[in-house]
Protein backbone atom coordinates (compact mmCIF):
# COMPACT_ATOMS: atom_id res chain seq x y z
CA UNK A 1 0.00 0.00 0.00
CA UNK A 2 1.36 3.44 -0.85
CA UNK A 3 2.01 5.94 1.92
CA UNK A 4 -0.58 8.63 2.46
CA UNK A 5 -0.01 12.08 0.98
CA UNK A 6 0.71 13.72 4.33
CA UNK A 7 3.51 11.27 5.06
CA UNK A 8 5.10 11.87 1.65
CA UNK A 9 4.91 15.60 2.30
CA UNK A 10 6.49 15.22 5.74
CA UNK A 11 9.32 13.05 4.40
CA UNK A 12 10.00 15.47 1.55
CA UNK A 13 10.62 18.25 4.08
CA UNK A 14 14.33 17.66 4.66
CA UNK A 15 16.73 19.38 7.05
CA UNK A 16 18.21 21.33 4.09
CA UNK A 17 14.72 22.54 3.25
CA UNK A 18 14.23 23.60 6.88
CA UNK A 19 17.39 25.73 6.82
CA UNK A 20 16.49 27.33 3.51
CA UNK A 21 13.17 28.43 5.00
CA UNK A 22 14.77 29.37 8.31
CA UNK A 23 17.31 31.65 6.58
CA UNK A 24 14.50 33.35 4.69
CA UNK A 25 12.16 34.01 7.61
CA UNK A 26 14.07 34.12 10.88
CA UNK A 27 16.73 36.85 10.88
CA UNK A 28 16.62 40.65 10.81
CA UNK A 29 14.38 43.25 12.43
CA UNK A 30 11.34 41.93 10.55
CA UNK A 31 12.41 38.30 11.18
CA UNK A 32 10.16 36.00 13.14
CA UNK A 33 12.53 35.61 16.13
CA UNK A 34 11.00 32.16 16.54
CA UNK A 35 14.24 30.44 17.60
CA UNK A 36 16.50 31.11 20.60
CA UNK A 37 19.22 28.61 19.64
CA UNK A 38 19.87 26.27 16.72
CA UNK A 39 21.94 23.20 15.88
CA UNK A 40 23.02 23.39 12.25
CA UNK A 41 24.74 20.02 12.55
CA UNK A 42 21.57 18.10 13.51
CA UNK A 43 20.84 15.44 10.90
CA UNK A 44 18.69 12.88 12.67
CA UNK A 45 18.96 9.17 12.00
CA UNK A 46 18.58 7.16 8.81
CA UNK A 47 15.91 4.93 10.24
CA UNK A 48 12.84 5.50 12.41
CA UNK A 49 9.40 6.95 11.84
CA UNK A 50 10.85 10.47 11.77
CA UNK A 51 14.11 9.55 10.05
CA UNK A 52 15.96 12.75 9.11
CA UNK A 53 12.87 14.91 9.67
CA UNK A 54 13.54 18.36 11.18
CA UNK A 55 11.65 19.25 14.36
CA UNK A 56 11.76 22.22 16.75
CA UNK A 57 11.40 22.15 20.52
CA UNK A 58 10.15 24.81 22.94
CA UNK A 59 12.89 26.24 25.12
CA UNK A 60 11.38 24.92 28.37
CA UNK A 61 12.13 21.30 27.39
CA UNK A 62 15.56 20.14 28.50
CA UNK A 63 17.92 19.25 25.66
CA UNK A 64 21.48 17.98 25.64
CA UNK A 65 23.80 20.25 23.66
CA UNK A 66 21.45 23.23 23.28
CA UNK A 67 20.61 25.77 26.03
CA UNK A 68 17.32 25.55 27.93
CA UNK A 69 16.48 29.09 29.04
CA UNK A 70 12.66 29.29 29.23
CA UNK A 71 13.23 32.69 27.55
CA UNK A 72 14.33 34.05 30.94
CA UNK A 73 17.37 36.07 31.92
CA UNK A 74 17.62 33.93 35.06
CA UNK A 75 18.52 30.89 32.91
CA UNK A 76 20.50 32.67 30.17
CA UNK A 77 23.02 30.22 28.71
CA UNK A 78 21.92 27.33 30.95
CA UNK A 79 22.56 23.89 29.43
CA UNK A 80 20.79 20.92 30.99
CA UNK A 81 22.83 17.83 31.92
CA UNK A 82 19.93 15.58 30.85
CA UNK A 83 17.26 15.47 28.16
CA UNK A 84 13.46 15.60 28.42
CA UNK A 85 11.80 12.25 27.68
CA UNK A 86 9.67 13.78 24.90
CA UNK A 87 12.78 15.12 23.15
CA UNK A 88 14.65 11.85 23.63
CA UNK A 89 11.75 9.96 22.03
CA UNK A 90 11.76 12.26 19.00
CA UNK A 91 15.49 11.66 18.54
CA UNK A 92 15.04 7.92 18.98
CA UNK A 93 12.47 8.05 16.18
CA UNK A 94 15.17 9.57 13.97
CA UNK A 95 14.17 13.26 14.10
CA UNK A 96 16.72 16.07 13.75
CA UNK A 97 16.19 18.57 16.58
CA UNK A 98 17.20 21.74 14.74
CA UNK A 99 16.61 24.28 17.48
CA UNK A 100 14.89 25.62 20.58
CA UNK A 101 11.99 27.97 20.15
CA UNK A 102 11.17 31.32 21.72
CA UNK A 103 8.33 31.53 24.25
CA UNK A 104 6.81 33.67 26.96
CA UNK A 105 9.17 33.63 29.96
CA UNK A 106 8.57 30.40 31.92
CA UNK A 107 5.49 29.82 29.71
CA UNK A 108 3.55 32.66 31.35
CA UNK A 109 1.71 34.60 28.70
CA UNK A 110 -0.61 34.45 25.72
CA UNK A 111 1.25 36.54 23.13
CA UNK A 112 4.96 35.65 23.36
CA UNK A 113 5.63 39.30 24.29
CA UNK A 114 6.93 38.22 27.73
CA UNK A 115 10.12 36.67 26.33
CA UNK A 116 13.34 38.20 27.71
CA UNK A 117 14.74 37.78 24.19
CA UNK A 118 12.10 39.78 22.30
CA UNK A 119 8.68 38.85 20.96
CA UNK A 120 7.97 36.40 18.14
CA UNK A 121 6.17 37.75 15.08
CA UNK A 122 3.20 36.00 13.51
CA UNK A 123 4.32 34.62 10.12
CA UNK A 124 0.94 35.49 8.59
CA UNK A 125 1.15 39.17 9.63
CA UNK A 126 4.41 40.33 11.14
CA UNK A 127 2.77 43.21 12.99
CA UNK A 128 0.81 40.69 15.03
CA UNK A 129 1.57 38.25 17.85
CA UNK A 130 1.74 34.49 17.20
CA UNK A 131 -0.05 33.77 20.48
CA UNK A 132 1.63 32.21 23.48
CA UNK A 133 3.25 30.91 25.36
CA UNK A 134 4.55 28.46 22.71
CA UNK A 135 4.64 31.21 20.06
CA UNK A 136 8.06 30.26 18.66
CA UNK A 137 7.07 26.66 17.96
CA UNK A 138 3.79 27.78 16.36
CA UNK A 139 5.61 30.32 14.16
CA UNK A 140 8.24 27.72 13.22
CA UNK A 141 5.51 25.41 11.88
CA UNK A 142 3.32 28.14 10.35
CA UNK A 143 6.30 29.62 8.45
CA UNK A 144 7.25 26.20 7.08
CA UNK A 145 10.63 25.80 8.84
CA UNK A 146 9.43 22.52 10.38
CA UNK A 147 6.19 20.52 10.08
CA UNK A 148 6.22 19.16 13.64
CA UNK A 149 7.24 21.01 16.83
CA UNK A 150 6.88 20.53 20.57
CA UNK A 151 5.29 23.08 22.86
CA UNK A 152 3.92 23.02 26.36
CA UNK A 153 0.50 23.67 27.81
CA UNK A 154 -0.56 24.88 31.21
CA UNK A 155 -3.66 26.83 30.18
CA UNK A 156 -3.77 26.91 26.38
CA UNK A 157 -0.19 27.59 25.31
CA UNK A 158 -0.31 25.16 22.39
CA UNK A 159 -3.94 25.54 21.29
CA UNK A 160 -4.13 29.36 21.34
CA UNK A 161 -0.93 29.93 19.28
CA UNK A 162 -2.01 27.12 16.92
CA UNK A 163 -5.27 29.05 16.41
CA UNK A 164 -3.48 32.39 15.90
CA UNK A 165 -1.04 30.87 13.37
CA UNK A 166 -3.48 28.66 11.44
CA UNK A 167 -1.99 25.27 12.32
CA UNK A 168 -2.89 22.22 14.44
CA UNK A 169 -2.01 22.03 18.14
CA UNK A 170 -2.72 19.20 20.59
CA UNK A 171 -2.78 19.23 24.38
CA UNK A 172 -2.89 15.57 25.39
CA UNK A 173 -4.56 14.09 28.47
CA UNK A 174 -2.70 14.96 31.68
CA UNK A 175 -0.42 11.92 32.15
CA UNK A 176 -0.37 10.86 28.47
CA UNK A 177 3.10 12.35 27.83
CA UNK A 178 5.97 12.37 30.30
CA UNK A 179 6.80 15.75 31.81
CA UNK A 180 10.30 14.61 32.72
CA UNK A 181 12.60 17.44 31.60
CA UNK A 182 9.76 19.94 31.09
CA UNK A 183 10.63 22.92 33.27
CA UNK A 184 7.80 23.14 35.80
CA UNK A 185 5.40 26.09 35.74
CA UNK A 186 2.24 24.74 37.45
CA UNK A 187 2.78 21.02 37.85
CA UNK A 188 -0.86 19.95 38.22
CA UNK A 189 -1.69 21.65 34.89
CA UNK A 190 1.50 21.29 32.82
CA UNK A 191 1.59 19.08 29.70
CA UNK A 192 3.92 18.62 26.75
CA UNK A 193 1.98 19.38 23.57
CA UNK A 194 2.52 19.02 19.83
CA UNK A 195 2.12 21.30 16.81
CA UNK A 196 1.66 19.97 13.29
CA UNK A 197 1.17 21.38 9.83
CA UNK A 198 -1.78 18.97 9.60
CA UNK A 199 -3.84 16.83 11.97
CA UNK A 200 -1.97 13.67 10.94
CA UNK A 201 1.46 15.21 11.47
CA UNK A 202 0.52 16.47 14.94
CA UNK A 203 -0.93 13.03 15.72
CA UNK A 204 2.26 11.29 14.59
CA UNK A 205 4.33 13.58 16.85
CA UNK A 206 2.04 12.81 19.78
CA UNK A 207 2.13 9.07 19.13
CA UNK A 208 5.92 9.13 19.26
CA UNK A 209 6.28 11.10 22.51
CA UNK A 210 3.32 9.52 24.38
CA UNK A 211 3.40 6.65 26.85
CA UNK A 212 4.48 5.79 30.36
CA UNK A 213 7.88 6.93 31.60
CA UNK A 214 9.39 5.73 34.87
CA UNK A 215 11.04 9.14 35.33
CA UNK A 216 7.66 10.89 35.71
CA UNK A 217 5.41 9.57 38.48
CA UNK A 218 2.42 11.41 36.94
CA UNK A 219 2.80 9.72 33.55
CA UNK A 220 0.07 7.14 33.10
CA UNK A 221 0.57 3.45 32.38
CA UNK A 222 -2.07 3.55 29.65
CA UNK A 223 -1.43 2.00 26.23
CA UNK A 224 -0.94 4.49 23.39
CA UNK A 225 -3.38 3.78 20.56
CA UNK A 226 -2.30 3.90 16.93
CA UNK A 227 -3.39 7.51 16.48
CA UNK A 228 -2.40 7.87 12.85
CA UNK A 229 -4.31 4.69 11.92
CA UNK A 230 -7.40 6.14 13.63
CA UNK A 231 -7.38 8.68 10.84
CA UNK A 232 -7.18 6.46 7.80
CA UNK A 233 -10.91 5.90 7.26
CA UNK A 234 -12.09 9.48 7.46
CA UNK A 235 -12.46 10.44 3.85
CA UNK A 236 -15.42 8.45 2.66
CA UNK A 237 -19.15 8.48 3.23
CA UNK A 238 -20.30 9.44 6.71
CA UNK A 239 -17.19 8.61 8.76
CA UNK A 240 -18.55 10.17 11.96
CA UNK A 241 -21.87 8.28 12.02
CA UNK A 242 -22.69 7.22 15.57
CA UNK A 243 -20.66 9.98 17.21
CA UNK A 244 -22.27 12.67 19.37
CA UNK A 245 -20.57 16.07 19.36
CA UNK A 246 -21.41 18.38 22.24
CA UNK A 247 -21.74 22.14 21.71
CA UNK A 248 -21.29 23.65 25.20
CA UNK A 249 -23.47 26.75 25.21
CA UNK A 250 -21.20 28.63 27.63
CA UNK A 251 -18.50 28.69 24.92
CA UNK A 252 -20.82 30.51 22.51
CA UNK A 253 -21.80 33.62 24.53
CA UNK A 254 -23.76 36.42 22.89
CA UNK A 255 -20.60 38.54 23.15
CA UNK A 256 -18.55 36.14 20.98
CA UNK A 257 -17.26 37.77 17.79
CA UNK A 258 -19.99 36.96 15.25
CA UNK A 259 -17.47 36.09 12.54
CA UNK A 260 -15.71 33.55 14.81
CA UNK A 261 -19.09 32.15 15.86
CA UNK A 262 -20.10 31.78 12.20
CA UNK A 263 -16.97 29.73 11.41
CA UNK A 264 -17.74 27.47 14.39
CA UNK A 265 -21.35 26.95 13.29
CA UNK A 266 -20.15 26.15 9.77
CA UNK A 267 -17.72 23.55 11.19
CA UNK A 268 -20.52 22.06 13.31
CA UNK A 269 -22.66 21.82 10.18
CA UNK A 270 -19.83 19.99 8.39
CA UNK A 271 -19.56 17.59 11.34
CA UNK A 272 -23.31 16.87 10.95
CA UNK A 273 -22.81 16.26 7.22
CA UNK A 274 -20.04 13.79 8.14
CA UNK A 275 -22.61 11.81 10.10
CA UNK A 276 -22.22 13.11 13.65
CA UNK A 277 -25.10 14.22 15.85
CA UNK A 278 -24.53 17.71 17.30
CA UNK A 279 -26.10 18.32 20.70
CA UNK A 280 -26.20 21.45 22.88
CA UNK A 281 -24.77 20.73 26.34
CA UNK A 282 -23.96 22.82 29.40
CA UNK A 283 -20.77 23.25 31.46
CA UNK A 284 -22.20 25.74 33.97
CA UNK A 285 -19.02 26.62 35.89
CA UNK A 286 -17.11 27.71 32.77
CA UNK A 287 -17.14 31.40 33.77
CA UNK A 288 -15.20 30.53 36.95
CA UNK A 289 -12.35 28.89 35.03
CA UNK A 290 -10.24 32.03 34.49
CA UNK A 291 -10.27 33.16 38.18
CA UNK A 292 -9.64 29.57 39.31
CA UNK A 293 -6.77 29.10 36.85
CA UNK A 294 -5.17 32.43 37.77
CA UNK A 295 -5.14 31.39 41.44
CA UNK A 296 -3.93 27.79 41.04
CA UNK A 297 -1.32 28.40 38.31
CA UNK A 298 0.45 31.29 40.11
CA UNK A 299 0.28 29.39 43.44
CA UNK A 300 2.10 26.43 41.94
CA UNK A 301 4.45 28.73 40.03
CA UNK A 302 5.47 30.62 43.16
CA UNK A 303 6.55 27.31 44.67
CA UNK A 304 8.18 25.87 41.50
CA UNK A 305 10.14 29.04 40.74
CA UNK A 306 11.64 29.23 44.24
CA UNK A 307 14.49 27.07 42.89
CA UNK A 308 15.92 29.96 40.82
CA UNK A 309 17.99 31.32 43.66
CA UNK A 310 21.35 31.94 42.04
CA UNK A 311 22.76 28.81 43.65
CA UNK A 312 21.37 25.83 41.78
CA UNK A 313 20.76 27.07 38.24
CA UNK A 314 21.82 29.70 35.77
CA UNK A 315 22.73 33.26 36.53
CA UNK A 316 24.00 34.58 39.90
CA UNK A 317 24.12 38.30 40.74
CA UNK A 318 27.11 39.54 42.76
CA UNK A 319 26.36 40.64 46.33
CA UNK A 320 28.03 40.83 49.74
CA UNK A 321 25.72 38.49 51.59
CA UNK A 322 23.42 35.60 50.76
CA UNK A 323 20.13 37.47 51.26
CA UNK A 324 21.19 40.26 48.93
CA UNK A 325 22.41 37.71 46.37
CA UNK A 326 19.00 35.99 46.30
CA UNK A 327 17.22 39.30 46.00
CA UNK A 328 19.40 40.68 43.21
CA UNK A 329 19.43 37.41 41.27
CA UNK A 330 15.66 37.08 41.39
CA UNK A 331 14.67 40.71 40.87
CA UNK A 332 17.13 41.09 38.00
CA UNK A 333 16.46 37.65 36.55
CA UNK A 334 12.66 37.58 36.31
CA UNK A 335 10.55 39.77 34.03
CA UNK A 336 7.42 41.67 35.10
CA UNK A 337 4.83 38.99 34.37
CA UNK A 338 6.78 36.24 36.14
CA UNK A 339 7.27 38.56 39.13
CA UNK A 340 3.53 39.33 39.15
CA UNK A 341 2.67 35.62 39.18
CA UNK A 342 5.14 34.85 42.00
CA UNK A 343 3.68 37.68 44.09
CA UNK A 344 0.10 36.61 43.34
CA UNK A 345 0.86 32.97 44.08
CA UNK A 346 2.66 33.72 47.32
CA UNK A 347 -0.30 35.86 48.39
CA UNK A 348 -3.00 33.24 47.73
CA UNK A 349 -0.97 30.61 49.59
CA UNK A 350 -0.17 32.75 52.62
CA UNK A 351 -1.68 32.18 56.06
CA UNK A 352 -5.13 33.74 56.29
CA UNK A 353 -5.66 33.81 52.51
CA UNK A 354 -5.11 30.13 51.73
CA UNK A 355 -8.69 29.16 52.62
CA UNK A 356 -10.24 32.19 50.98
CA UNK A 357 -8.44 31.74 47.65
CA UNK A 358 -6.42 28.59 47.09
CA UNK A 359 -8.73 26.10 48.83
CA UNK A 360 -11.83 27.57 47.18
CA UNK A 361 -10.16 27.53 43.79
CA UNK A 362 -9.33 23.84 44.25
CA UNK A 363 -12.97 23.11 45.14
CA UNK A 364 -14.22 24.89 42.01
CA UNK A 365 -11.60 23.10 39.92
CA UNK A 366 -13.14 19.81 41.08
CA UNK A 367 -16.57 21.10 40.08
CA UNK A 368 -15.31 21.99 36.59
CA UNK A 369 -13.78 18.52 36.19
CA UNK A 370 -17.03 16.89 37.36
CA UNK A 371 -19.06 18.86 34.84
CA UNK A 372 -16.85 17.56 32.01
CA UNK A 373 -17.20 14.01 33.37
CA UNK A 374 -21.00 14.34 33.51
CA UNK A 375 -21.27 15.63 29.95
CA UNK A 376 -19.09 12.79 28.64
CA UNK A 377 -21.04 10.24 30.74
CA UNK A 378 -24.27 11.48 29.11
CA UNK A 379 -23.20 9.99 25.77
CA UNK A 380 -21.26 12.91 24.27
CA UNK A 381 -18.03 11.72 22.61
CA UNK A 382 -16.27 15.03 21.95
CA UNK A 383 -16.98 18.73 22.45
CA UNK A 384 -16.56 21.46 19.84
CA UNK A 385 -15.92 25.14 20.70
CA UNK A 386 -13.95 28.14 19.47
CA UNK A 387 -10.28 27.99 20.61
CA UNK A 388 -9.87 31.69 21.39
CA UNK A 389 -12.23 34.68 21.56
CA UNK A 390 -10.19 36.72 19.04
CA UNK A 391 -7.81 36.30 16.13
CA UNK A 392 -4.13 37.30 16.50
CA UNK A 393 -3.88 40.80 17.93
CA UNK A 394 -1.24 43.43 17.16
CA UNK A 395 2.09 43.51 19.00
CA UNK A 396 1.61 45.86 21.95
CA UNK A 397 -2.16 46.00 21.51
CA UNK A 398 -3.09 44.17 24.73
CA UNK A 399 -1.31 45.76 27.69
CA UNK A 400 -3.72 45.06 30.54
CA UNK A 401 -2.76 41.70 32.16
CA UNK A 402 -6.40 40.79 32.87
CA UNK A 403 -7.38 41.37 29.24
CA UNK A 404 -4.46 39.13 28.24
CA UNK A 405 -5.66 36.41 30.64
CA UNK A 406 -9.06 36.43 28.91
CA UNK A 407 -7.38 35.11 25.76
CA UNK A 408 -7.33 31.72 27.57
CA UNK A 409 -11.03 31.75 28.44
CA UNK A 410 -11.91 28.72 26.27
CA UNK A 411 -8.69 26.75 26.83
CA UNK A 412 -7.90 26.73 30.59
CA UNK A 413 -10.86 24.44 31.33
CA UNK A 414 -9.27 21.42 29.64
CA UNK A 415 -6.11 21.88 31.73
CA UNK A 416 -8.15 22.22 34.93
CA UNK A 417 -10.06 19.02 34.07
CA UNK A 418 -7.00 17.20 32.66
CA UNK A 419 -8.83 16.21 29.48
CA UNK A 420 -7.26 16.16 25.99
CA UNK A 421 -8.01 19.07 23.65
CA UNK A 422 -6.79 20.43 20.35
CA UNK A 423 -7.12 23.33 17.94
CA UNK A 424 -7.31 23.23 14.16
CA UNK A 425 -7.86 25.95 11.55
CA UNK A 426 -11.51 26.39 10.53
CA UNK A 427 -11.43 29.59 8.47
CA UNK A 428 -10.19 33.18 8.44
CA UNK A 429 -11.44 36.61 9.52
CA UNK A 430 -9.80 39.51 7.65
CA UNK A 431 -7.12 37.09 6.48
CA UNK A 432 -6.30 35.91 10.03
CA UNK A 433 -6.88 32.28 11.05
CA UNK A 434 -9.66 31.14 13.38
CA UNK A 435 -9.19 27.98 15.45
CA UNK A 436 -11.84 25.40 16.32
CA UNK A 437 -11.32 23.40 19.49
CA UNK A 438 -12.16 19.75 20.16
CA UNK A 439 -12.11 18.31 23.70
CA UNK A 440 -12.50 14.64 24.64
CA UNK A 441 -12.69 12.47 27.77
CA UNK A 442 -9.44 11.40 29.49
CA UNK A 443 -7.34 9.29 27.09
CA UNK A 444 -9.88 9.88 24.30
CA UNK A 445 -7.27 11.26 21.86
CA UNK A 446 -7.98 8.67 19.14
CA UNK A 447 -11.64 9.69 18.77
CA UNK A 448 -10.78 13.38 19.04
CA UNK A 449 -8.20 13.05 16.25
CA UNK A 450 -10.57 11.05 14.07
CA UNK A 451 -13.11 13.88 14.27
CA UNK A 452 -10.38 16.46 13.62
CA UNK A 453 -9.09 14.59 10.57
CA UNK A 454 -12.58 14.18 9.12
CA UNK A 455 -13.28 17.90 9.57
CA UNK A 456 -9.91 18.86 8.07
CA UNK A 457 -10.60 16.62 5.08
CA UNK A 458 -14.09 18.06 4.56
CA UNK A 459 -12.76 21.62 4.75
CA UNK A 460 -9.99 20.89 2.23
CA UNK A 461 -12.48 19.28 -0.13
CA UNK A 462 -14.72 22.34 0.17
CA UNK A 463 -11.87 24.76 -0.53
CA UNK A 464 -10.90 22.81 -3.63
CA UNK A 465 -14.42 22.55 -5.05
N1 LIG B 1 -1.65 32.04 28.99
C1 LIG B 1 -1.69 31.17 30.12
C2 LIG B 1 -0.77 31.65 31.21
O1 LIG B 1 -0.15 32.63 31.02
C3 LIG B 1 -1.36 29.77 29.70
C4 LIG B 1 0.09 29.54 29.57
C5 LIG B 1 0.44 28.13 29.27
O2 LIG B 1 -0.40 27.33 28.88
N2 LIG B 1 1.68 27.82 29.53
O3 LIG B 1 -0.66 31.06 32.24
Amino acid sequence: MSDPVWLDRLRAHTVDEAWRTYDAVQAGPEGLNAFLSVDRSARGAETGRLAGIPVAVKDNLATLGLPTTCASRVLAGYVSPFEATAVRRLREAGAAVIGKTNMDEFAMGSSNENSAFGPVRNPLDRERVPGGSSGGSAAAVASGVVRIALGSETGGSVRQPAAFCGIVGIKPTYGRVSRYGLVAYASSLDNVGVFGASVAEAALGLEIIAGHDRFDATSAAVAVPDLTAAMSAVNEGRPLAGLVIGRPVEYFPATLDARIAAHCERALQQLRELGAEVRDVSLPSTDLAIPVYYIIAPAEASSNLARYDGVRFGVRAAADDLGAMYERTRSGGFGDEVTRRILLGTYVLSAGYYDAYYRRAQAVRTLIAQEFAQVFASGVHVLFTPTAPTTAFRLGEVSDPYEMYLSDIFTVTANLAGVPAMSQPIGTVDGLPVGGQLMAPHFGEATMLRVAAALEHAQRAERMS
Side-chain angles (χ1 to χ4, degrees):
M1 216 174 79
S2 67
D3 285 324
V5 179
W6 66 265
L7 197 52
D8 290 342
R9 212 182 289 130
L10 179 65
R11 290 200 181 121
H13 190 79
T14 59
V15 169
D16 292 338
E17 185 59 37
W19 291 124
R20 266 196 294 280
T21 311
Y22 175 94
D23 291 335
V25 300
Q26 168 70 4
E30 286 293 302
L32 297 179
N33 197 26
F35 285 82
L36 295 178
S37 59
V38 294
D39 176 4
R40 294 244 180 203
S41 69
R43 285 270 161 250
E46 280 177 21
T47 56
R49 297 181 77 192
L50 293 179
I53 290 172
V55 299
V57 171
K58 189 176 180 178
D59 206 35
N60 60 351
L61 283 154
T63 43
L64 291 169
L66 283 169
T68 299
T69 71
C70 297
S72 180
R73 281 191 299 274
V74 94
L75 282 175
Y78 175 74
V79 181
S80 167
F82 67 94
E83 192 147 80
T85 298
V87 177
R88 181 172 55 77
R89 287 183 177 171
L90 287 180
R91 289 202 215 262
E92 283 169 1
V97 177
I98 66 160
K100 301 294 287 292
T101 58
N102 202 348
M103 55 185 282
D104 283 299
E105 183 177 8
F106 283 105
M108 297 174 191
S110 308
S111 68
N112 220 120
E113 292 167 297
N114 295 336
S115 167
F117 307 115
V120 176
R121 293 173 184 272
N122 189 317
L124 304 172
D125 177 346
R126 299 203 178 195
E127 297 305 312
R128 291 178 187 268
V129 304
S133 65
S134 316
S137 287
V141 173
S143 61
V145 177
V146 291
R147 300 187 63 86
I148 295 176
L150 296 186
S152 76
E153 268 258 1
T154 304
S157 279
V158 168
R159 286 164 287 159
Q160 186 256 23
F164 279 17
C165 292
I167 58 171
V168 176
I170 308 174
K171 178 207 96 71
T173 309
Y174 187 82
R176 176 65 97 183
V177 176
S178 170
R179 293 182 298 116
Y180 180 69
L182 170 66
V183 178
Y185 161 13
S187 311
S188 77
L189 300 158
D190 293 343
N191 293 248
V192 178
V194 191
F195 292 97
S198 64
V199 173
E201 285 157 291
L204 176 61
L206 174 59
E207 201 174 302
I208 286 165
I209 64 169
H212 180 252
D213 173 23
R214 68 190 176 90
F215 292 125
D216 174 7
T218 64
S219 85
V222 174
V224 181
D226 190 338
L227 297 172
T228 41
M231 265 164 290
S232 54
V234 297
N235 31 13
E236 269 152 59
R238 289 161 57 83
L240 303 184
L243 283 186
V244 179
I245 303 204
R247 176 186 174 280
V249 292
E250 291 81 4
Y251 288 71
F252 295 85
T255 50
L256 181 64
D257 183 317
R259 299 163 304 174
I260 292 178
H263 280 300
C264 289
E265 297 303 340
R266 175 77 198 108
L268 284 163
Q269 182 52 31
Q270 284 172 315
L271 292 169
R272 279 188 204 98
E273 286 158 16
L274 291 163
E277 176 195 333
V278 174
R279 196 186 285 173
D280 273 0
V281 296
S282 177
L283 295 162
S285 302
T286 300
D287 63 338
L288 297 173
I290 285 287
V292 163
Y293 174 85
Y294 280 96
I295 291 170
I296 293 175
E300 294 185 20
S302 74
S303 158
N304 274 326
L305 272 59
R307 59 171 67 98
Y308 305 103
D309 56 4
V311 177
R312 285 170 283 193
F313 301 93
V315 171
R316 175 183 305 172
D320 292 337
D321 62 79
L322 190 62
M325 189 281 282
Y326 287 155
E327 203 176 307
R328 277 198 209 146
T329 299
R330 287 172 67 83
S331 15
F334 293 135
D336 288 349
E337 185 60 28
V338 174
T339 303
R340 180 180 297 117
R341 305 278 180 110
I342 292 173
L343 291 173
L344 201 63
T346 307
Y347 176 79
V348 300
L349 289 176
S350 58
Y353 295 102
Y354 181 92
D355 286 319
Y357 293 106
Y358 186 69
R359 192 187 299 278
R360 277 172 83 190
Q362 290 289 27
V364 179
R365 177 181 185 173
T366 302
L367 206 61
I368 290 169
Q370 283 170 349
E371 289 172 4
F372 272 97
Q374 277 157 12
V375 164
F376 289 129
S378 75
V380 169
H381 297 98
V382 296
L383 299 167
F384 182 87
T385 78
T387 304
T390 66
T391 54
F393 40 88
R394 286 179 198 284
L395 286 156
E397 184 180 334
V398 178
S399 54
D400 173 38
Y402 187 67
E403 197 189 325
M404 189 69 85
Y405 298 170
L406 290 177
S407 197
D408 310 327
I409 193 157
F410 301 138
T411 50
V412 293
T413 46
N415 302 74
L416 290 166
V419 297
M422 64 183 291
S423 179
Q424 68 190 102
I426 57 164
T428 57
V429 167
D430 296 335
L432 297 170
V434 173
Q437 174 173 239
L438 292 168
M439 298 189 269
H442 293 115
F443 300 103
E445 282 92 348
T447 307
M448 178 175 84
L449 286 161
R450 188 155 69 87
V451 174
L455 180 60
E456 178 186 64
H457 186 268
Q459 296 216 331
R460 279 211 187 118
E462 190 181 79
R463 272 200 307 277
M464 285 192 294
S465 67

